[in-house]
Amino acid sequence: MADSVINNESDMRIQEIGNVKLNLRWYDGEDKYSDGDVEDSILNIVKNHDSSEFPKIISESGSWPILYHLSSYRENILAGIQIGKNDSVLEIGGGCGAITGILCREAGKVTTIELSKRRSEINAYRHKDEKNLEIIVANFQTAYKNLHEKFDYIMLIGVLEYAKLYIDDPKPYQGFLKQIGTLLKHNGKIVIAIENRFGLKYFAGCKEDHLGTIFEGVNGYSDGKAMVQTFTRKGLEDIIVNAGFKSYKFYYPYPDYKFATNIYSDEYLPKKGELDNNIRNFDAERLRLFDEKKVFDELIDNGLFPYFSNSFLVVVNGDQ
């Protein structure tokens, strides 16, 4: 087992599930973020089934949460990230471990921070054979005060949009990135995956992922009360730059970052006719106001695809 990033690891609140270290020192006894009772079913699955059985279980369940949390396609978002065996990784918001496995396989050491004990247990049982994983059950701000290590990579996969809920800062999104920057080694990188507020699917009638209402993001969260928000490309760039980072690169997962089948870049953009896998919406009903394939072709023709990609993947260089 790799050394803990936390001091005083002999504390009884550090448990072991297989080879995985589960750190409960700052767990406050309440899981504040959950998909509900289905997580008990997911915990039962990972306790009693090998990952090779997950595809059949997903198919037979017909359940969006089981698909979302257990599908191996979730790992595709990191397919092009060059993590080395000597690298240390901090995963913030590890959830049920959708990308934790690929991090453990690629990196030398992985530390995951997750609010929910139940989700952390799912992650631990799912990856119990990994010898390089520690899961800290805590709010990020609490864990941040007690971390004693810097990292080569910090993962924010579907996490930045929640900063307003958990970060005590008048500008929570850039404040979050500033805090994270202090945990990076020299030449370290932050990897951000997030929905694009102006993603074409939202204009076409898909509901906003977090609030479940149509046109919420494209209308700019107009009531001003949304505690979870995504950003346009310019909005996300402004947050990164205002947090003090000078160097970053955008990638464009398609059809989105959750179940990416292709990841494009400014050097390799999609060609007309390629973006034809658009009617995928597993978790909610949607409208279809126009043919997204045809509109994507028009956007590609006019050099606008990077602004209307459904999701972004951003690699931020940490030397500020």
Side-chain angles (χ1 to χ4, degrees):
M1 170 62 65
D3 291 339
S4 172
V5 298
I6 304 296
N7 288 336
N8 303 318
E9 64 174 291
S10 61
D11 194 304
M12 293 298 292
R13 288 167 291 179
I14 296 178
Q15 302 175 2
E16 291 187 354
I17 295 176
N19 294 317
V20 176
K21 188 173 293 183
L22 188 66
N23 190 321
L24 299 167
R25 291 185 64 200
W26 298 284
Y27 177 56
D28 64 8
E30 181 182 359
D31 287 2
K32 299 180 178 66
Y33 189 86
S34 171
D35 278 333
D37 291 341
V38 70
E39 291 184 3
D40 290 330
S41 298
I42 296 172
L43 180 59
N44 182 64
I45 290 168
V46 299
K47 279 184 174 182
N48 296 292
H49 297 274
D50 184 80
S51 60
S52 64
E53 300 175 84
F54 290 177
K56 181 180 179 182
I57 292 169
I58 290 168
S59 177
E60 291 177 349
S61 74
S63 165
W64 160 251
I66 290 176
L67 169 67
Y68 178 72
H69 291 298
L70 295 184
S71 173
S72 62
Y73 281 89
R74 295 285 307 283
E75 295 185 348
N76 290 351
I77 190 61
L78 298 182
I81 305 297
Q82 302 298 312
I83 299 172
K85 286 296 184 184
N86 293 321
D87 289 335
S88 60
V89 177
L90 176 64
E91 179 191 16
I92 300 175
C96 297
I99 68 161
T100 307
I102 190 173
L103 296 177
C104 290
R105 295 193 299 273
E106 298 292 328
K109 182 178 180 183
V110 179
T111 302
T112 293
I113 299 172
E114 167 57 39
L115 278 167
S116 161
K117 181 183 178 185
R118 181 164 56 177
R119 288 190 171 197
S120 297
E121 288 174 339
I122 291 169
N123 195 351
Y125 278 104
R126 183 176 183 176
H127 300 111
K128 62 183 182 296
D129 294 332
E130 303 293 350
K131 298 180 179 179
N132 57 348
L133 175 60
E134 176 175 4
I135 302 172
I136 300 169
V137 186
N139 182 290
F140 170 73
Q141 294 226 107
T142 301
Y144 172 76
K145 297 172 185 176
N146 293 281
L147 289 170
H148 305 289
E149 184 177 338
K150 293 184 183 291
F151 300 87
D152 296 289
Y153 286 88
I154 299 179
M155 300 290 160
L156 297 180
I157 308 301
V159 169
L160 180 63
E161 58 266 40
Y162 292 94
K164 194 173 180 180
L165 281 170
Y166 302 114
I167 303 301
D168 184 17
D169 190 291
K171 296 181 178 179
Y173 304 104
Q174 72 183 54
F176 190 23
L177 290 185
K178 282 182 178 180
Q179 280 187 312
I180 289 168
T182 67
L183 298 173
L184 283 174
K185 291 181 181 178
H186 178 66
N187 291 328
K189 300 180 188 300
I190 301 170
V191 180
I192 302 169
I194 190 171
E195 296 89 353
N196 175 11
R197 182 190 290 185
F198 278 2
L200 187 66
K201 69 179 185 179
Y202 302 117
F203 287 97
C206 276
K207 295 179 179 179
E208 205 277 351
D209 297 65
H210 310 93
L211 303 177
T213 49
I214 60 172
F215 308 132
E216 189 72 39
V218 298
N219 281 332
Y221 303 99
S222 53
D223 67 4
K225 297 178 181 178
M227 295 300 290
V228 183
Q229 297 185 20
T230 58
F231 308 97
T232 63
R233 173 164 176 155
K234 180 182 182 301
L236 190 51
E237 285 185 291
D238 287 346
I239 289 168
I240 292 167
V241 171
N242 290 332
F245 297 98
K246 299 176 182 178
S247 175
Y248 52 88
K249 183 172 178 59
F250 271 73
Y251 298 88
Y252 313 104
Y254 177 81
D256 59 29
Y257 83 84
K258 297 181 183 75
F259 294 100
T261 57
N262 299 84
I263 298 179
Y264 295 98
S265 68
D266 290 315
E267 293 75 28
Y268 180 72
L269 290 167
K271 298 179 177 60
K272 287 181 68 173
E274 284 186 5
L275 306 185
D276 58 1
N277 188 15
N278 300 304
I279 312 303
R280 291 175 33 149
N281 200 68
F282 305 109
D283 60 328
E285 293 181 354
R286 59 159 294 180
L287 304 176
R288 191 187 183 202
L289 300 180
F290 52 77
D291 186 332
E292 287 154 84
K293 180 179 181 296
K294 291 180 179 179
V295 177
F296 266 133
D297 283 348
E298 290 299 308
L299 293 171
I300 290 166
D301 241 2
N302 287 277
L304 295 172
F305 170 73
Y307 301 96
F308 293 94
S309 170
N310 289 326
S311 294
F312 297 127
L313 176 69
V314 192
V315 179
V316 181
N317 295 314
D319 286 340
Q320 297 170 287

